[in-house]
């Protein structure tokens, strides 16, 4: 409840859902519980020690203390929302919980607790017993909020007096902003292209307005936040889309910024023009809905010869000319016109700048550091040259692989030859050579750390490797730490250095654009996902050749379709259930209420076993609730030990059917053996169906994996029969 007021969300439906969840799980007659299984100030808490014993938290179930302070927060929240009727009801409830001093002044107690002699009754019937006030009286924090709420309720102060930044209005729907798009040509051919399409465009070279890159924008904002007590590194280098969509003014000079993805040289996926368009579309939608400055947002695009030759560019620009794109109002205009309505950020100082060969201003000290930004490898050479013979990049790559077989340190000693091949492949758009060379040169995307951060803040984990070598990231790593992960796990397959980054970049974009696709996915297991893509593109999970030949936009679309379940076979047939199980198992996707079903099963037995892989009830269910992330992580760690994705999903089906039938089962064994249920169900299936005894995986016939869950002869039918035979 306090979190809602302190840090307002920006989606009304998310706020509503959050409040409903709080009420369902934490609200009581005397306020809100801080969290489930909270033992603080309960009569069963042992105050003689500073810790809880293993499994002790379960003792506090249903007797957690209830805090009036959160009711006061809810009262203020309703006043913010102008729900006066609801606010009056909460006010009455708060006043009923007050205690009075000797002068009759109302005081807010810290909490209400269940008396020791009423603990068992309260546990048996939550909310049935009268609680007593305890803790500090008055609780100064709550007392202060009570005074503020009373002043606000009686119109002595307004919402704006205690929320000067207007965060309470962030969830209100705002009119969408018109996004201005400015095109700048890099040469005469691009200028002619713009004129052919009747689009306003000026040359970046002869333009009176200076164009800067993202690093200059980062330096601008560091300087804005610089004080005598802070160093030049006091602000992070991360630059938001909003910061690159404003104009900057220093004295009589005007600067406009390029988005990070605008420079084609930043990373190889940007060589695909449709990836550039995809990112621009996402930027349009974001700026239209999230713009918070005065004036209109601005996107600056540099037209390059490569863009002019592609039909996708013409289609995109022609659509923008209509003034609307996918529901976003846009305006193609000249830089001079755009500046009249753009927001201008005033600068007090200007760092040393240098114009590069593209006509873009960069930091003066940056030109010598660009290589180390994108390449981890040292560009040294031993002075000798090796001829990479071939008419095209693909032929020269074959030659390079031969050299690498004959000379293990070839790349380290012939860095420039590999760099030249990378540049040639970039010109020819030879994607498999581009990816391999990028991996060999250890090229790093400039915003890869930001992409990892975006994924992690959605409360998902990222793992590298498989089996005993799997490592999981759950907290944002530094760039150096992240690169250490991908270097360590790409030693056996160098191409993974590039593929890891590319997959993470696309996952970040997809999760921002359509977070619903990640529903039920707690941990993104990169190696399994990459093997899944390889299997779907080439039929062999260990062969990356076909996958590496995909254009970046095809790679992006393939991952998006995998997440949405939209992949079809080459004959446009529906996926088999074996493939569906393989996909869901690789993605670690779990059905709704899975964790609650498993939690209830664990409460009925001492543990659950899968071929010796046991998850014990104690202390798991005594320390955690079914809905908390740590429980889900523990379950994910347990299931991830299974040898393959299809088998994993079959066991998920076993758990779900056991959970749904638990009320019909008279007595569970001390240890539930899921493998016994699964293999007995499979035996029943084999008795009724014709199977190939030689075609099986982990003792389960391929025909069983191909069988849908539902229907008269579905896997759930056989699992139900097996459960009935074993436990009923």
């Amino acid at each position: 409840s306090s979190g809602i007021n302190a840090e307002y969300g920006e989606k009304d439906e998310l706020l509503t859902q959050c409040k409903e969840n709080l009420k369902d799980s934490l609200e009581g007659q005397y306020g809100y519980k801080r969290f489930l299984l909270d033992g603080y100030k309960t009569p069963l808490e042992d105050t003689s020690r500073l810790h809880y014993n293993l499994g002790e938290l379960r003792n506090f179930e249903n007797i957690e203390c209830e805090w009036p302070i959160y009711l006061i927060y809810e009262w203020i929240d309703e006043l913010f929302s102008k729900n006066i009727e609801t606010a009056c009801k909460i006010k009455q409830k708060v006043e009923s919980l007050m205690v009075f001093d000797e002068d009759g002044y109302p005081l807010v107690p810290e909490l209400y607790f269940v008396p020791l002699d009423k603990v068992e009754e309260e546990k048996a019937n939550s909310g049935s017993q009268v609680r007593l006030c305890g803790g500090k009286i008055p609780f100064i924090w709550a007392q202060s909020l009570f005074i503020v709420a009373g002043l606000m309720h009686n119109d002595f102060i307004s919402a704006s007096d205690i929320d000067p930044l207007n965060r309470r209005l962030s969830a209100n729907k705002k009119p969408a902003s018109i996004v201005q798009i400015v095109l700048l040509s890099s040469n005469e051919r691009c200028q002619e292209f713009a004129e052919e399409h009747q689009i306003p465009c000026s040359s970046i070279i002869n333009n009176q307005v200076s164009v800067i890159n993202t690093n200059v924008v980062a330096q601008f904002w560091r300087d804005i936040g610089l004080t005598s007590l802070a160093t030049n590194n006091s602000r992070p280098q991360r630059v938001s889309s909003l910061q690159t969509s404003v104009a900057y003014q220093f004295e009589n000079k005007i600067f406009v910024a390029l988005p990070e993805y605008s420079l084609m040289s930043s990373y190889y996926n940007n060589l695909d023009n449709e990836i550039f368009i995809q990112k621009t579309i996402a930027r349009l939608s974001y700026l239209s809905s999230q713009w918070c400055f005065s004036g209109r947002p601005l996107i600056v695009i540099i037209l390059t010869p490569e863009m002019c030759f592609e039909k996708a560019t013409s289609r995109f620009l022609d659509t923008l000319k209509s003034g609307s794109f996918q529901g976003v109002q846009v305006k193609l205009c000249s830089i001079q016109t755009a500046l009249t309505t753009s927001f201008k950020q005033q600068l007090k100082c200007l760092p040393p700048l240098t114009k590069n060969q593209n006509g873009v201003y960069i930091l003066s000290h940056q030109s010598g550091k660009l290589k180390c930004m994108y390449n981890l490898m040292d560009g040294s050479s031993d002075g000798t040259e090796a001829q990479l013979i071939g008419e095209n990049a693909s032929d020269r790559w074959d030659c390079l692989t031969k050299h690498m077989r004959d000379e293990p340190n070839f790349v380290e000693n012939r860095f420039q030859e590999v760099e030249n091949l990378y540049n040639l492949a970039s010109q020819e758009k030879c994607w498999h050579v581009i990816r391999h060379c990028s991996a060999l040169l250890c090229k790093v995307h400039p915003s890869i750390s930001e992409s990892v951060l975006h994924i992690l803040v959605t409360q998902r984990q990222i793992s590298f490797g498989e089996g005993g070598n799997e490592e999981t990231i759950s907290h944002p790593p530094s760039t150096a730490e992240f690169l250490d992960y991908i270097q360590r796990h790409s030693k056996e397959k160098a191409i993974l250095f590039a593929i890891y980054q590319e997959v993470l970049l696309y996952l970040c974009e997809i999760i921002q654009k359509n977070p619903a696709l990640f529903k039920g996915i707690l941990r993104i297991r990169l190696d399994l996902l990459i093997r899944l893509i390889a299997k779907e593109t080439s039929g062999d999970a260990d062969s990356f050749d076909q996958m590496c030949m995909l254009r970046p936009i095809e790679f992006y679309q393939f991952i998006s379709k995998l997440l949405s379940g939209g992949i079809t076979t080459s004959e446009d047939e529906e996926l088999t259930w074996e493939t569906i199980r393989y996909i869901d198992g690789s993605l670690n996707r779990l059905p709704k209420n899975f964790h609650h079903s498993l939690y209830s099963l664990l409460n009925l037995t001492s543990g659950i076993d899968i071929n010796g892989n046991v998850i014990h009830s104690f202390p798991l269910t005594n320390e955690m609730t079914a809905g908390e992330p740590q429980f889900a992580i523990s379950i994910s760690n347990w299931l991830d030990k299974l040898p393959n994705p299809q088998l994993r999903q079959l066991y998920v089906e076993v758990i779900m059917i056991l959970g749904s039938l638990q009320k019909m089962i008279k007595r569970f064994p001390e240890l539930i053996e899921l493998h016994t249920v699964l293999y007995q169900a499979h035996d029943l299936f084999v008795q009724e169906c014709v199977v190939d005894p030689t075609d099986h995986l982990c003792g389960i016939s391929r025909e069983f994996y191909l069988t849908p869950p539902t229907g008269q002869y579905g896997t759930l039918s056989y699992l139900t029969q097996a459960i009935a035979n074993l436990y009923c």
Side-chain angles (χ1 to χ4, degrees):
S1 183
S2 60
I4 295 175
N5 290 276
E7 194 68 34
Y8 255 81
E10 297 184 352
K11 292 186 178 180
D12 191 50
E13 63 274 14
L14 192 61
L15 279 173
T16 302
Q17 182 184 351
C18 179
K19 292 176 184 178
E20 289 175 352
N21 289 341
L22 286 172
K23 285 181 175 291
D24 291 342
S25 59
L26 301 177
E27 187 180 23
Q29 299 178 35
Y30 299 85
Y32 283 84
K33 302 170 183 177
R34 296 192 306 175
F35 51 87
L36 298 178
L37 307 184
D38 179 13
Y40 178 71
K41 294 285 187 180
T42 63
L44 299 185
E45 183 186 40
D46 185 352
T47 56
S48 65
R49 44 187 165 85
L50 299 177
H51 66 279
Y52 294 124
N53 291 327
L54 191 65
E56 186 180 359
L57 293 182
R58 179 57 60 189
N59 297 336
F60 310 126
E61 187 176 20
N62 290 341
I63 62 166
E64 303 94 335
C65 293
E66 295 177 0
W67 297 60
I69 185 174
Y70 297 116
L71 276 177
I72 302 174
Y73 270 122
E74 187 180 12
W75 179 11
I76 295 174
D77 183 47
E78 296 299 340
L79 291 172
F80 273 13
S81 304
K82 299 183 179 179
N83 298 326
I84 304 303
E85 184 177 347
T86 306
C88 288
K89 292 180 180 178
I90 298 173
K91 176 177 179 290
Q92 292 175 2
K93 187 173 181 178
V94 171
E95 290 174 342
S96 70
L97 301 175
M98 309 292 282
V99 296
F100 297 89
D101 64 7
E102 56 188 14
D103 297 323
Y105 191 84
L107 305 176
V108 184
E110 182 179 8
L111 49 82
Y112 277 84
F113 66 93
V114 179
L116 180 60
D117 60 337
K118 302 294 183 182
V119 165
E120 294 306 321
E121 291 91 337
E122 181 69 13
K123 282 189 173 184
N125 186 8
S126 180
S128 62
Q129 304 302 306
V130 176
R131 293 175 178 243
L132 303 178
C133 61
K136 297 176 181 177
I137 304 175
F139 186 38
I140 300 300
W141 181 9
Q143 192 73 30
S144 304
L145 284 171
F146 175 73
I147 295 170
V148 170
L151 291 171
M152 191 174 174
H153 193 95
N154 293 288
D155 296 327
F156 289 108
I157 61 175
S158 65
S160 59
D161 291 324
I162 56 178
D163 180 27
L165 295 179
N166 294 325
R167 288 294 295 157
R168 68 193 184 283
L169 304 177
S170 60
N172 296 348
K173 291 185 177 180
K174 301 179 284 291
S177 299
I178 299 176
V179 183
Q180 302 176 116
I181 300 176
V182 170
L183 298 182
L184 298 175
S185 60
S186 56
N187 58 25
E188 293 182 2
R189 173 66 189 92
C190 297
Q191 187 70 36
E192 293 172 0
F193 172 83
E195 292 173 358
E196 290 172 5
H197 287 76
Q198 299 179 338
I199 296 172
C201 181
S202 56
S203 171
I204 189 174
I205 304 299
N206 302 323
N207 192 35
Q208 295 180 347
V209 178
S210 301
V211 181
I212 55 177
N213 72 357
T214 309
N215 289 328
V216 178
V217 175
Q219 185 63 50
F220 283 171
W221 286 93
R222 278 199 298 272
D223 292 342
I224 290 172
L226 193 63
T227 69
S228 59
L229 299 177
T231 66
N232 199 34
N233 295 322
S234 59
R235 279 179 173 263
Q237 285 196 342
R238 179 172 173 259
V239 176
S240 73
S241 302
L242 299 176
Q243 290 171 315
T244 58
S245 301
V246 303
Y248 295 89
Q249 184 168 6
F250 176 73
E251 297 177 347
N252 60 343
K253 296 180 179 179
I254 302 292
F255 299 89
V256 292
L258 293 171
E260 157 285 310
Y261 62 85
S262 289
L263 291 178
M264 291 300 211
S265 60
S266 62
Y267 200 66
Y268 70 78
N269 65 330
N270 289 332
L271 295 169
D272 190 337
N273 191 44
E274 292 196 42
I275 285 288
F276 166 80
I277 293 173
Q278 188 81 25
K279 291 181 178 179
T280 303
I281 292 171
R283 183 65 54 88
L284 287 173
S285 177
Y286 177 80
L287 291 176
S288 175
S289 60
Q290 303 299 321
W291 185 248
C292 57
F293 298 110
S294 59
R296 294 174 177 175
L298 171 67
I299 295 180
V300 178
I301 297 174
I302 296 180
L303 278 177
T304 64
E306 293 85 357
M307 296 169 63
C308 296
F309 289 128
E310 296 205 20
K311 293 182 180 179
T313 304
S314 299
R315 291 195 301 268
F316 178 59
L317 294 178
D318 288 340
T319 306
L320 292 179
K321 283 167 56 179
S322 66
S324 177
F325 189 89
Q326 296 184 2
V328 177
Q329 289 183 290
V330 296
K331 182 180 180 181
L332 280 169
C333 55
S334 65
I335 185 66
Q336 288 76 18
T337 302
L339 288 176
T340 60
T341 54
S342 296
F343 175 78
K344 295 183 181 64
Q345 173 68 49
Q346 300 296 323
L347 301 174
K348 294 182 179 180
C349 60
L350 191 68
L353 302 177
T354 302
K355 185 182 288 189
N356 66 12
Q357 60 184 6
N358 298 316
V360 177
Y361 282 92
I362 62 175
L363 296 173
S364 294
H365 60 78
Q366 182 183 334
S367 57
K369 295 185 178 181
L370 279 177
K371 178 172 285 189
C372 68
M373 177 187 294
Y374 302 120
N375 297 336
L376 293 182
M377 288 189 59
D378 182 12
S380 60
S381 176
D382 62 2
T384 61
E385 293 191 13
Q387 294 294 324
L388 299 181
I389 303 171
E391 296 181 357
N392 52 46
S394 184
D395 291 342
R396 295 186 185 185
W397 167 250
D398 293 339
C399 183
L400 175 60
T401 55
K402 182 179 181 301
H403 279 294
M404 288 191 296
R405 284 194 298 268
D406 298 338
E407 185 182 342
N409 297 325
F410 181 86
V411 175
E412 290 82 350
N413 297 333
R414 307 288 195 281
F415 178 91
Q416 192 57 51
E417 285 87 337
V418 182
E419 184 74 46
N420 292 341
L421 178 56
Y422 175 84
N423 294 332
L424 175 63
S426 299
Q427 295 173 12
E428 297 180 2
K429 303 295 177 65
C430 187
W431 297 112
H432 73 287
V433 177
I434 292 173
R435 288 186 173 98
H436 279 289
C437 289
S438 177
L440 292 174
L441 296 169
C442 296
K443 289 184 176 287
V444 181
H445 193 284
S447 63
I448 187 63
S449 296
E450 184 179 338
S451 296
V452 172
L453 175 63
H454 275 301
I455 295 172
L456 293 177
V457 296
T458 65
Q459 296 188 347
R460 287 173 176 82
Q461 299 178 330
I462 300 169
S463 76
F464 299 86
E466 294 183 73
N469 296 322
E470 189 168 11
E471 291 185 276
T472 300
I473 298 177
S474 55
H475 302 287
S478 66
T479 302
E481 290 171 337
F482 172 75
L483 293 177
D484 184 55
Y485 275 112
I486 62 175
Q487 283 182 310
R488 191 162 58 249
H489 290 281
S490 60
K491 285 182 178 179
E492 295 185 5
K493 276 202 171 186
I495 186 62
L496 283 174
F497 190 93
I499 298 297
Y500 278 144
Q501 294 183 73
E502 191 171 359
V503 170
L504 286 169
L505 290 169
Y506 299 153
L507 288 174
C508 173
E509 291 185 31
I510 296 169
I511 206 170
Q512 289 179 300
K513 185 178 179 181
N514 194 354
L517 294 181
F518 289 79
K519 194 171 184 179
I521 300 175
L522 174 68
R523 176 179 297 152
I524 299 171
R525 303 174 75 186
L526 288 179
D527 284 71
L528 272 182
L529 178 57
I530 291 168
R531 285 170 59 83
L532 172 59
I533 298 169
K535 184 177 185 295
E536 292 301 310
T537 52
S538 67
D540 183 359
D542 295 316
S543 176
F544 292 0
D545 294 343
Q546 292 298 320
M547 177 179 66
C548 289
M549 290 182 181
L550 293 174
R551 287 177 57 193
I553 189 63
E554 293 172 340
F555 206 139
Y556 170 87
Q557 292 170 345
F558 200 93
I559 293 175
S560 183
K561 287 179 180 179
L562 272 179
L563 290 166
S564 63
I567 294 294
T568 59
T569 63
S570 57
E571 295 82 15
D572 288 333
E573 298 175 354
E574 292 186 0
L575 294 177
T576 66
W577 272 100
E578 181 185 19
T579 304
I580 292 172
R581 289 185 173 105
Y582 186 90
I583 292 173
D584 286 343
S586 297
L587 294 174
N588 272 24
R589 181 174 277 140
L590 296 171
K592 186 179 180 181
N593 296 326
F594 172 81
H595 292 106
H596 286 81
S597 294
L598 185 55
Y599 190 87
S600 62
L601 289 173
L602 287 170
N603 277 325
L604 297 171
T605 184
S606 65
I608 299 177
D609 177 26
I610 302 178
N611 281 327
N613 178 20
V614 181
I615 184 166
H616 295 282
S617 300
F618 183 86
L620 199 63
T621 56
N622 289 56
E623 294 289 320
M624 306 173 192
T625 58
E628 65 179 272
Q630 196 57 44
F631 177 74
I633 291 171
S634 299
I635 299 306
S636 181
N637 292 337
W638 174 58
L639 290 175
D640 288 350
K641 295 177 183 177
L642 292 169
N644 63 71
Q646 304 100 303
L647 186 64
R648 182 186 195 274
Q649 288 309 105
L650 283 180
Y651 278 116
V652 168
E653 293 174 25
V654 175
I655 292 169
M656 290 301 294
I657 194 66
L658 270 172
S660 64
L661 296 175
Q662 62 178 285
K663 292 182 179 179
M664 301 171 60
I665 298 173
K666 297 178 181 178
R667 184 178 61 85
F668 277 104
E670 186 70 15
L671 189 68
I672 299 177
E673 295 181 343
L674 295 187
H675 52 279
T676 302
V677 177
L678 178 59
Y679 285 109
Q680 186 167 131
H682 178 254
D683 290 342
L684 293 170
F685 173 80
V686 171
Q687 292 172 15
E688 296 184 4
C689 305
V690 178
V691 300
D692 182 356
T694 63
D695 191 4
H696 59 84
L697 183 65
C698 298
I700 302 293
S701 64
R702 186 167 182 269
E703 286 79 5
F704 196 73
Y705 288 110
L706 289 166
T707 303
T710 57
Q712 183 179 358
Y713 299 101
T715 55
L716 296 183
S717 174
Y718 293 104
L719 289 170
T720 303
Q721 293 179 53
I723 292 169
N725 294 340
L726 289 167
Y727 304 133
C728 296

